[in-house]
Amino acid sequence: MKKISLFFIGLLSLGGVATAQPSKATLVIETDQPQAKIHKEIYGQFAEHLGAGIYGGIWVGKNSKIPNIDGYRRDVVEAIKQLAVPVIRWPGGCFADQYHWMDGVGPQDKRKHLINSNWGGVVEDNSFGTNEFLNFCELVGAEPYISGNLGSGTPQEMADWVEYMTFDGSSPMADLRRANGRDKPWKVKFWGVGNESWGCGGNMTPEYYSDLYRRYATFLHNYSGNQLYKIASGANGNDYNWTDVVMKAVGHRMQGISLHYYTVPKTWADKGSATSFDTQEYLTSIEKTLYMNELITKHSAIMDKYDPQKKIGLIVDEWGIWTNVEPGTNPGFLFQQNSLRDAIIAALNFNIFDQHADRVRMANIAQMVNVLQSIILTKGDKMVLTPTYYAFEMYKGHMGGELLNTQLTCDQINLGQEKSPMLSVSASSKDGVITLSIVNIDPTNDADLTCDLRGGTFKSVLGEILTSKNLTDINTFDVPSTVQLKPFTSAKLKGSNVTLKVPAKSIITLTIQ
Ligand code: AHR
């Protein structure tokens, strides 16, 4: 009898179904050896004029029946504030290189109506423009990151935009700002000089783009104590040549260079469903997500050749899972649902960005509301927080912390082409508090984890967990709390050891002090 049950357990574990015994894992954390600062902007957002990303998602106008603060949806404002979103990129994306900012200032009823030819060919009424965006950032406490138009705009137009936003004295653009109701300039630090200039931003070669960057950036001035952090349009995924050419030709004329990489579960032609996928498709999505680590490592090594002191930041200003749109929705609006899988993908990306904190200065998920891997979905007056929202919430403690050195020993999981450790972690320290985030990628197997906290004494551990019955579980407008953040109370602290069981397909964050 005993023999049969042992044999049965063996079969189960071979087949990848739940094992009787959780896998054993250990983690050493050197709590007194900080590595690099985790810039809070790694947890940034991106909001483009695309689908309901702005209109309906953030901006409903002052006369809307949807509860709003000066035209901004109240529910969305509160959710963003709760997350302490550090930075928001705007107005695109591809939209940025067709955007002429003058169309979006002045009396709203006089603004030009244009075609949003990148995204669904719908009418853009320009009612959300520069003042509306910068006031929104002030309202939610986030820094603005402006994506300037290098593709179809002029250097003069970009220079004027900086003057309009940031000049304190009397000048044509500062006076126009005043006439539009804003006396004091805003502080605007992050400035993108073009977007995807290898593609929708102008189909340029890196050599041609570098020349244009040098020209446009020359006229972007630091006014009235404002200090611009200029970001060059960077590579598409593994286009290492782009990074090499721009680093060599532009060098320290820029403070950052971007990188765009999306997790596409299947192919670009048929990306896969956001809500219906099997275990293998999940594992492939994870494998494709983990590729971000190789991309950052290799782009960073190229940057090291020209910038060994790592002064130039790698700005991952578009990342996230990109699936097929929800059936029945406008294909140009990129509206997709968001499952537990997506929260795990977000957490894995956070762990990778944190590990590369010496080079990754900012990252912006695509996109904040109603577009691609959103943290918030809206429909009329309803709003729902996605599993990805909760992943951001769980990582708040890492913002501005010092990355800690960790050594993880755990079982491997077969993803398809490659294997990966079943767990992924990030540990940081801020004001004597350790934040430890753990992701269990494995869809079926739990892990018993022992953490050895070296170099400090600790008295308490608190935790929270995000998981659900199925990887495909989502939050909907009718059932908004299927995937919810819950307290995690079973981590035990004894001396310098913390022990816990990390359930399959879960994210846990511990706060240890
Ligand atoms: O995020 C959606 C689009 O993806 C952006 O507009 C573009 O920059 C990228 O190709």
Side-chain angles (χ1 to χ4, degrees), residues 55-107:
Y55 300 111
I58 294 173
W59 179 253
V60 287
K62 291 179 190 161
N63 300 325
S64 174
K65 287 201 179 106
I66 297 173
N68 67 83
I69 307 167
D70 292 334
Y72 310 104
R73 319 180 47 119
R74 186 177 288 278
D75 49 5
V76 169
V77 166
E78 276 160 13
I80 291 171
K81 275 178 151 175
Q82 164 65 23
L83 219 47
V85 167
V87 60
I88 305 172
R89 179 175 184 243
W90 175 86
C94 294
F95 182 80
D97 282 294
Q98 74 163 114
Y99 185 62
H100 300 282
W101 69 271
M102 283 275 202
D103 297 339
V105 295

Short mmCIF file of all heavy atoms in Angstrom, two decimals, residues 55-107:
data_model
loop_
_atom_site.label_atom_id
_atom_site.label_comp_id
_atom_site.label_asym_id
_atom_site.label_seq_id
_atom_site.Cartn_x
_atom_site.Cartn_y
_atom_site.Cartn_z
N TYR A 55 -8.93 59.79 -23.02
CA TYR A 55 -10.34 60.21 -23.05
C TYR A 55 -11.23 59.08 -22.53
O TYR A 55 -11.26 57.99 -23.10
CB TYR A 55 -10.74 60.62 -24.46
CG TYR A 55 -9.90 61.78 -24.96
CD1 TYR A 55 -8.97 61.63 -25.99
CD2 TYR A 55 -10.02 63.04 -24.36
CE1 TYR A 55 -8.19 62.70 -26.42
CE2 TYR A 55 -9.25 64.11 -24.77
CZ TYR A 55 -8.34 63.94 -25.81
OH TYR A 55 -7.57 65.01 -26.22
N GLY A 56 -11.92 59.35 -21.43
CA GLY A 56 -12.74 58.31 -20.79
C GLY A 56 -11.98 57.62 -19.67
O GLY A 56 -12.55 57.24 -18.66
N GLY A 57 -10.66 57.47 -19.84
CA GLY A 57 -9.85 56.76 -18.84
C GLY A 57 -9.32 57.69 -17.76
O GLY A 57 -9.25 57.33 -16.59
N ILE A 58 -8.91 58.89 -18.19
CA ILE A 58 -8.40 59.88 -17.23
C ILE A 58 -9.28 61.12 -17.27
O ILE A 58 -9.72 61.65 -16.26
CB ILE A 58 -6.95 60.28 -17.59
CG1 ILE A 58 -5.99 59.10 -17.42
CG2 ILE A 58 -6.49 61.46 -16.72
CD1 ILE A 58 -4.58 59.37 -17.92
N TRP A 59 -9.53 61.56 -18.50
CA TRP A 59 -10.18 62.85 -18.74
C TRP A 59 -11.62 62.64 -19.20
O TRP A 59 -11.85 61.95 -20.21
CB TRP A 59 -9.39 63.61 -19.80
CG TRP A 59 -9.93 64.94 -20.20
CD1 TRP A 59 -10.55 65.25 -21.37
CD2 TRP A 59 -9.88 66.15 -19.43
NE1 TRP A 59 -10.90 66.58 -21.38
CE2 TRP A 59 -10.50 67.16 -20.20
CE3 TRP A 59 -9.39 66.47 -18.17
CZ2 TRP A 59 -10.63 68.47 -19.75
CZ3 TRP A 59 -9.52 67.78 -17.71
CH2 TRP A 59 -10.12 68.76 -18.50
N VAL A 60 -12.56 63.20 -18.45
CA VAL A 60 -13.97 63.11 -18.88
C VAL A 60 -14.54 64.51 -19.10
O VAL A 60 -15.66 64.65 -19.59
CB VAL A 60 -14.83 62.33 -17.85
CG1 VAL A 60 -14.52 60.84 -17.92
CG2 VAL A 60 -14.64 62.85 -16.43
N GLY A 61 -13.79 65.54 -18.74
CA GLY A 61 -14.27 66.91 -18.90
C GLY A 61 -15.08 67.33 -17.68
O GLY A 61 -15.71 66.50 -17.01
N LYS A 62 -15.07 68.64 -17.44
CA LYS A 62 -15.69 69.17 -16.21
C LYS A 62 -17.20 68.95 -16.18
O LYS A 62 -17.79 68.87 -15.11
CB LYS A 62 -15.42 70.67 -16.11
CG LYS A 62 -13.96 70.95 -15.84
CD LYS A 62 -13.67 72.43 -15.77
CE LYS A 62 -12.17 72.61 -15.75
NZ LYS A 62 -11.65 73.85 -16.09
N ASN A 63 -17.84 68.87 -17.36
CA ASN A 63 -19.30 68.76 -17.37
C ASN A 63 -19.80 67.32 -17.36
O ASN A 63 -21.00 67.07 -17.51
CB ASN A 63 -19.86 69.47 -18.61
CG ASN A 63 -19.48 70.94 -18.59
OD1 ASN A 63 -19.42 71.54 -17.50
ND2 ASN A 63 -19.20 71.51 -19.75
N SER A 64 -18.89 66.38 -17.19
CA SER A 64 -19.29 64.97 -17.22
C SER A 64 -20.11 64.60 -15.99
O SER A 64 -19.92 65.17 -14.90
CB SER A 64 -18.03 64.10 -17.27
OG SER A 64 -18.38 62.75 -17.15
N LYS A 65 -20.99 63.59 -16.18
CA LYS A 65 -21.75 63.06 -15.02
C LYS A 65 -20.86 62.14 -14.19
O LYS A 65 -21.17 61.82 -13.05
CB LYS A 65 -22.96 62.28 -15.53
CG LYS A 65 -24.04 63.17 -16.09
CD LYS A 65 -25.38 62.44 -16.11
CE LYS A 65 -26.46 63.34 -16.63
NZ LYS A 65 -26.89 63.00 -18.00
N ILE A 66 -19.77 61.69 -14.79
CA ILE A 66 -18.83 60.84 -14.04
C ILE A 66 -18.13 61.73 -13.02
O ILE A 66 -17.60 62.79 -13.39
CB ILE A 66 -17.82 60.18 -15.01
CG1 ILE A 66 -18.57 59.27 -15.99
CG2 ILE A 66 -16.74 59.41 -14.25
CD1 ILE A 66 -17.75 58.70 -17.10
N PRO A 67 -18.13 61.33 -11.74
CA PRO A 67 -17.52 62.19 -10.72
C PRO A 67 -16.09 62.55 -11.12
O PRO A 67 -15.28 61.67 -11.46
CB PRO A 67 -17.56 61.32 -9.46
CG PRO A 67 -18.68 60.36 -9.70
CD PRO A 67 -18.71 60.11 -11.18
N ASN A 68 -15.79 63.86 -11.08
CA ASN A 68 -14.47 64.30 -11.55
C ASN A 68 -13.97 65.48 -10.75
O ASN A 68 -14.74 66.20 -10.10
CB ASN A 68 -14.52 64.62 -13.05
CG ASN A 68 -15.39 65.84 -13.35
OD1 ASN A 68 -14.93 66.98 -13.24
ND2 ASN A 68 -16.66 65.61 -13.71
N ILE A 69 -12.66 65.67 -10.82
CA ILE A 69 -12.02 66.85 -10.22
C ILE A 69 -11.51 67.67 -11.40
O ILE A 69 -10.56 67.25 -12.08
CB ILE A 69 -10.84 66.44 -9.32
CG1 ILE A 69 -11.26 65.40 -8.29
CG2 ILE A 69 -10.19 67.66 -8.67
CD1 ILE A 69 -10.13 64.70 -7.57
N ASP A 70 -12.16 68.77 -11.69
CA ASP A 70 -11.77 69.64 -12.82
C ASP A 70 -11.62 68.87 -14.13
O ASP A 70 -10.71 69.15 -14.93
CB ASP A 70 -10.44 70.35 -12.52
CG ASP A 70 -10.61 71.36 -11.41
OD1 ASP A 70 -11.74 71.86 -11.23
OD2 ASP A 70 -9.62 71.63 -10.71
N GLY A 71 -12.44 67.84 -14.33
CA GLY A 71 -12.40 67.09 -15.59
C GLY A 71 -11.67 65.76 -15.50
O GLY A 71 -11.79 64.92 -16.40
N TYR A 72 -10.89 65.53 -14.44
CA TYR A 72 -10.17 64.26 -14.27
C TYR A 72 -11.03 63.32 -13.44
O TYR A 72 -11.51 63.72 -12.37
CB TYR A 72 -8.85 64.46 -13.53
CG TYR A 72 -7.98 65.57 -14.10
CD1 TYR A 72 -7.89 66.81 -13.46
CD2 TYR A 72 -7.27 65.38 -15.28
CE1 TYR A 72 -7.10 67.83 -13.98
CE2 TYR A 72 -6.48 66.40 -15.81
CZ TYR A 72 -6.41 67.61 -15.15
OH TYR A 72 -5.64 68.62 -15.67
N ARG A 73 -11.20 62.08 -13.88
CA ARG A 73 -12.05 61.14 -13.13
C ARG A 73 -11.54 60.99 -11.71
O ARG A 73 -10.37 60.69 -11.51
CB ARG A 73 -12.07 59.72 -13.70
CG ARG A 73 -12.11 59.44 -15.09
CD ARG A 73 -12.12 57.94 -15.38
NE ARG A 73 -13.04 57.18 -14.60
CZ ARG A 73 -14.05 56.47 -15.09
NH1 ARG A 73 -14.26 56.41 -16.39
NH2 ARG A 73 -14.83 55.77 -14.30
N ARG A 74 -12.42 61.16 -10.77
CA ARG A 74 -12.05 61.11 -9.36
C ARG A 74 -11.54 59.73 -8.95
O ARG A 74 -10.54 59.60 -8.24
CB ARG A 74 -13.26 61.49 -8.49
CG ARG A 74 -12.97 61.62 -7.02
CD ARG A 74 -14.21 62.06 -6.26
NE ARG A 74 -14.55 63.45 -6.49
CZ ARG A 74 -13.99 64.48 -5.87
NH1 ARG A 74 -13.05 64.27 -4.97
NH2 ARG A 74 -14.35 65.71 -6.15
N ASP A 75 -12.21 58.66 -9.44
CA ASP A 75 -11.80 57.31 -9.03
C ASP A 75 -10.38 56.99 -9.51
O ASP A 75 -9.56 56.42 -8.79
CB ASP A 75 -12.81 56.24 -9.52
CG ASP A 75 -13.19 56.37 -10.99
OD1 ASP A 75 -12.61 57.22 -11.70
OD2 ASP A 75 -14.06 55.61 -11.46
N VAL A 76 -10.07 57.41 -10.74
CA VAL A 76 -8.74 57.13 -11.30
C VAL A 76 -7.68 57.96 -10.57
O VAL A 76 -6.60 57.45 -10.22
CB VAL A 76 -8.74 57.40 -12.83
CG1 VAL A 76 -7.33 57.37 -13.40
CG2 VAL A 76 -9.60 56.36 -13.53
N VAL A 77 -8.00 59.21 -10.30
CA VAL A 77 -7.06 60.07 -9.56
C VAL A 77 -6.73 59.43 -8.20
O VAL A 77 -5.57 59.32 -7.81
CB VAL A 77 -7.65 61.49 -9.35
CG1 VAL A 77 -6.88 62.28 -8.31
CG2 VAL A 77 -7.69 62.24 -10.68
N GLU A 78 -7.76 58.94 -7.52
CA GLU A 78 -7.52 58.36 -6.20
C GLU A 78 -6.69 57.09 -6.29
O GLU A 78 -5.78 56.87 -5.49
CB GLU A 78 -8.85 58.09 -5.49
CG GLU A 78 -9.34 59.37 -4.80
CD GLU A 78 -10.82 59.37 -4.48
OE1 GLU A 78 -11.46 58.29 -4.56
OE2 GLU A 78 -11.35 60.47 -4.18
N ALA A 79 -6.98 56.26 -7.30
CA ALA A 79 -6.22 55.00 -7.45
C ALA A 79 -4.75 55.29 -7.76
O ALA A 79 -3.85 54.60 -7.27
CB ALA A 79 -6.85 54.15 -8.56
N ILE A 80 -4.50 56.30 -8.57
CA ILE A 80 -3.11 56.62 -8.94
C ILE A 80 -2.37 57.21 -7.74
O ILE A 80 -1.20 56.89 -7.49
CB ILE A 80 -3.09 57.58 -10.15
CG1 ILE A 80 -3.58 56.82 -11.39
CG2 ILE A 80 -1.70 58.14 -10.40
CD1 ILE A 80 -3.82 57.67 -12.58
N LYS A 81 -3.07 58.03 -6.98
CA LYS A 81 -2.44 58.60 -5.77
C LYS A 81 -2.08 57.50 -4.78
O LYS A 81 -1.01 57.51 -4.17
CB LYS A 81 -3.41 59.56 -5.08
CG LYS A 81 -3.38 60.96 -5.65
CD LYS A 81 -4.42 61.73 -4.90
CE LYS A 81 -4.15 63.17 -4.78
NZ LYS A 81 -5.26 63.87 -4.14
N GLN A 82 -2.98 56.55 -4.63
CA GLN A 82 -2.78 55.44 -3.68
C GLN A 82 -1.51 54.65 -4.03
O GLN A 82 -0.79 54.15 -3.18
CB GLN A 82 -4.03 54.55 -3.72
CG GLN A 82 -3.91 53.17 -3.12
CD GLN A 82 -3.67 53.22 -1.62
OE1 GLN A 82 -3.99 54.20 -0.95
NE2 GLN A 82 -3.04 52.16 -1.10
N LEU A 83 -1.20 54.61 -5.33
CA LEU A 83 -0.03 53.85 -5.79
C LEU A 83 1.25 54.67 -5.70
O LEU A 83 2.34 54.14 -5.91
CB LEU A 83 -0.27 53.46 -7.26
CG LEU A 83 0.16 52.10 -7.74
CD1 LEU A 83 -0.25 51.00 -6.81
CD2 LEU A 83 -0.41 51.86 -9.14
N ALA A 84 1.13 55.96 -5.39
CA ALA A 84 2.29 56.87 -5.38
C ALA A 84 3.06 56.78 -6.71
O ALA A 84 4.29 56.66 -6.72
CB ALA A 84 3.21 56.55 -4.19
N VAL A 85 2.31 56.85 -7.81
CA VAL A 85 2.94 56.79 -9.14
C VAL A 85 4.00 57.89 -9.25
O VAL A 85 3.69 59.07 -9.07
CB VAL A 85 1.87 56.94 -10.25
CG1 VAL A 85 2.50 57.20 -11.60
CG2 VAL A 85 0.99 55.69 -10.31
N PRO A 86 5.25 57.53 -9.54
CA PRO A 86 6.30 58.55 -9.51
C PRO A 86 6.40 59.40 -10.77
O PRO A 86 6.82 60.56 -10.70
CB PRO A 86 7.58 57.73 -9.33
CG PRO A 86 7.25 56.38 -9.89
CD PRO A 86 5.79 56.18 -9.72
N VAL A 87 6.06 58.83 -11.93
CA VAL A 87 6.28 59.54 -13.19
C VAL A 87 5.31 59.00 -14.24
O VAL A 87 4.98 57.80 -14.24
CB VAL A 87 7.76 59.39 -13.65
CG1 VAL A 87 8.17 57.96 -13.87
CG2 VAL A 87 8.08 60.21 -14.90
N ILE A 88 4.84 59.90 -15.12
CA ILE A 88 3.93 59.48 -16.19
C ILE A 88 4.45 60.03 -17.52
O ILE A 88 4.71 61.23 -17.66
CB ILE A 88 2.49 59.99 -15.96
CG1 ILE A 88 1.98 59.53 -14.58
CG2 ILE A 88 1.55 59.49 -17.07
CD1 ILE A 88 0.65 60.14 -14.17
N ARG A 89 4.60 59.13 -18.48
CA ARG A 89 5.07 59.51 -19.83
C ARG A 89 3.87 59.87 -20.70
O ARG A 89 2.86 59.17 -20.68
CB ARG A 89 5.84 58.32 -20.42
CG ARG A 89 6.37 58.54 -21.82
CD ARG A 89 7.21 57.32 -22.22
NE ARG A 89 7.83 57.49 -23.52
CZ ARG A 89 7.57 56.72 -24.57
NH1 ARG A 89 6.70 55.74 -24.50
NH2 ARG A 89 8.20 56.94 -25.72
N TRP A 90 3.99 60.91 -21.52
CA TRP A 90 2.88 61.44 -22.31
C TRP A 90 3.45 62.32 -23.42
O TRP A 90 4.51 62.92 -23.18
CB TRP A 90 1.98 62.28 -21.38
CG TRP A 90 0.85 63.00 -22.07
CD1 TRP A 90 -0.39 62.51 -22.36
CD2 TRP A 90 0.86 64.36 -22.55
NE1 TRP A 90 -1.14 63.48 -22.99
CE2 TRP A 90 -0.39 64.62 -23.12
CE3 TRP A 90 1.83 65.38 -22.57
CZ2 TRP A 90 -0.71 65.86 -23.70
CZ3 TRP A 90 1.51 66.59 -23.14
CH2 TRP A 90 0.25 66.83 -23.69
N PRO A 91 2.87 62.50 -24.61
CA PRO A 91 1.55 62.02 -25.06
C PRO A 91 1.63 60.72 -25.88
O PRO A 91 0.61 60.25 -26.34
CB PRO A 91 1.07 63.16 -25.96
CG PRO A 91 2.33 63.70 -26.57
CD PRO A 91 3.41 63.53 -25.52
N GLY A 92 2.78 60.17 -26.11
CA GLY A 92 2.92 58.88 -26.79
C GLY A 92 4.31 58.39 -26.48
O GLY A 92 5.06 59.07 -25.76
N GLY A 93 4.67 57.25 -27.04
CA GLY A 93 4.15 56.48 -28.10
C GLY A 93 4.19 57.11 -29.49
O GLY A 93 4.70 58.20 -29.73
N CYS A 94 3.69 56.29 -30.40
CA CYS A 94 3.64 56.72 -31.81
C CYS A 94 2.92 58.06 -31.95
O CYS A 94 3.22 58.85 -32.84
CB CYS A 94 2.96 55.65 -32.65
SG CYS A 94 3.88 54.11 -32.73
N PHE A 95 1.94 58.31 -31.08
CA PHE A 95 1.17 59.55 -31.16
C PHE A 95 2.09 60.77 -31.01
O PHE A 95 1.82 61.84 -31.59
CB PHE A 95 0.08 59.56 -30.08
CG PHE A 95 -0.80 60.78 -30.12
CD1 PHE A 95 -1.84 60.86 -31.03
CD2 PHE A 95 -0.60 61.84 -29.25
CE1 PHE A 95 -2.66 61.99 -31.08
CE2 PHE A 95 -1.41 62.97 -29.29
CZ PHE A 95 -2.44 63.04 -30.22
N ALA A 96 3.18 60.60 -30.24
CA ALA A 96 4.03 61.76 -29.91
C ALA A 96 4.62 62.40 -31.16
O ALA A 96 4.76 63.63 -31.23
CB ALA A 96 5.14 61.34 -28.97
N ASP A 97 4.99 61.58 -32.15
CA ASP A 97 5.66 62.13 -33.34
C ASP A 97 4.67 62.67 -34.38
O ASP A 97 5.09 63.04 -35.48
CB ASP A 97 6.62 61.09 -33.93
CG ASP A 97 7.91 61.02 -33.12
OD1 ASP A 97 8.66 62.00 -33.11
OD2 ASP A 97 8.14 59.99 -32.45
N GLN A 98 3.38 62.67 -34.04
CA GLN A 98 2.42 63.36 -34.89
C GLN A 98 1.75 64.50 -34.11
O GLN A 98 0.85 65.17 -34.61
CB GLN A 98 1.36 62.40 -35.45
CG GLN A 98 0.33 61.94 -34.44
CD GLN A 98 -0.93 61.33 -35.06
OE1 GLN A 98 -1.19 60.16 -34.88
NE2 GLN A 98 -1.70 62.13 -35.78
N TYR A 99 2.20 64.71 -32.87
CA TYR A 99 1.54 65.66 -31.98
C TYR A 99 2.19 67.03 -32.07
O TYR A 99 3.39 67.18 -31.86
CB TYR A 99 1.60 65.15 -30.54
CG TYR A 99 0.84 66.00 -29.55
CD1 TYR A 99 -0.54 66.15 -29.66
CD2 TYR A 99 1.49 66.66 -28.51
CE1 TYR A 99 -1.25 66.93 -28.76
CE2 TYR A 99 0.79 67.43 -27.60
CZ TYR A 99 -0.59 67.58 -27.74
OH TYR A 99 -1.29 68.35 -26.84
N HIS A 100 1.35 68.04 -32.34
CA HIS A 100 1.83 69.42 -32.37
C HIS A 100 1.18 70.14 -31.19
O HIS A 100 -0.03 70.38 -31.17
CB HIS A 100 1.48 70.06 -33.72
CG HIS A 100 2.13 69.32 -34.85
ND1 HIS A 100 3.46 69.47 -35.17
CD2 HIS A 100 1.64 68.37 -35.68
CE1 HIS A 100 3.76 68.65 -36.17
NE2 HIS A 100 2.68 67.97 -36.49
N TRP A 101 2.01 70.43 -30.20
CA TRP A 101 1.48 70.84 -28.90
C TRP A 101 0.60 72.09 -28.95
O TRP A 101 -0.30 72.24 -28.14
CB TRP A 101 2.62 71.01 -27.90
CG TRP A 101 3.54 72.18 -28.16
CD1 TRP A 101 4.65 72.19 -28.93
CD2 TRP A 101 3.41 73.50 -27.62
NE1 TRP A 101 5.24 73.42 -28.93
CE2 TRP A 101 4.49 74.26 -28.11
CE3 TRP A 101 2.50 74.13 -26.76
CZ2 TRP A 101 4.68 75.59 -27.81
CZ3 TRP A 101 2.69 75.46 -26.45
CH2 TRP A 101 3.77 76.18 -26.96
N MET A 102 0.88 72.96 -29.91
CA MET A 102 0.09 74.20 -30.01
C MET A 102 -1.39 73.91 -30.29
O MET A 102 -2.25 74.73 -29.99
CB MET A 102 0.64 75.08 -31.13
CG MET A 102 1.90 75.81 -30.76
SD MET A 102 1.48 77.35 -29.91
CE MET A 102 2.97 78.28 -30.18
N ASP A 103 -1.66 72.71 -30.89
CA ASP A 103 -3.06 72.34 -31.15
C ASP A 103 -3.82 72.07 -29.85
O ASP A 103 -5.05 72.02 -29.85
CB ASP A 103 -3.14 71.06 -32.00
CG ASP A 103 -2.52 71.25 -33.38
OD1 ASP A 103 -2.40 72.40 -33.82
OD2 ASP A 103 -2.15 70.23 -34.00
N GLY A 104 -3.09 71.86 -28.76
CA GLY A 104 -3.72 71.43 -27.51
C GLY A 104 -3.59 72.44 -26.39
O GLY A 104 -3.59 72.06 -25.22
N VAL A 105 -3.43 73.73 -26.72
CA VAL A 105 -3.44 74.77 -25.67
C VAL A 105 -4.46 75.85 -26.05
O VAL A 105 -4.88 75.95 -27.21
CB VAL A 105 -2.04 75.40 -25.44
CG1 VAL A 105 -1.06 74.38 -24.89
CG2 VAL A 105 -1.49 76.06 -26.71
N GLY A 106 -4.82 76.65 -25.05
CA GLY A 106 -5.82 77.71 -25.30
C GLY A 106 -7.22 77.19 -25.02
O GLY A 106 -7.40 76.06 -24.56
N PRO A 107 -8.23 78.04 -25.31
CA PRO A 107 -9.61 77.66 -25.01
C PRO A 107 -9.96 76.31 -25.66
O PRO A 107 -9.71 76.11 -26.85
CB PRO A 107 -10.44 78.80 -25.63
CG PRO A 107 -9.47 79.94 -25.78
CD PRO A 107 -8.12 79.35 -25.95
#
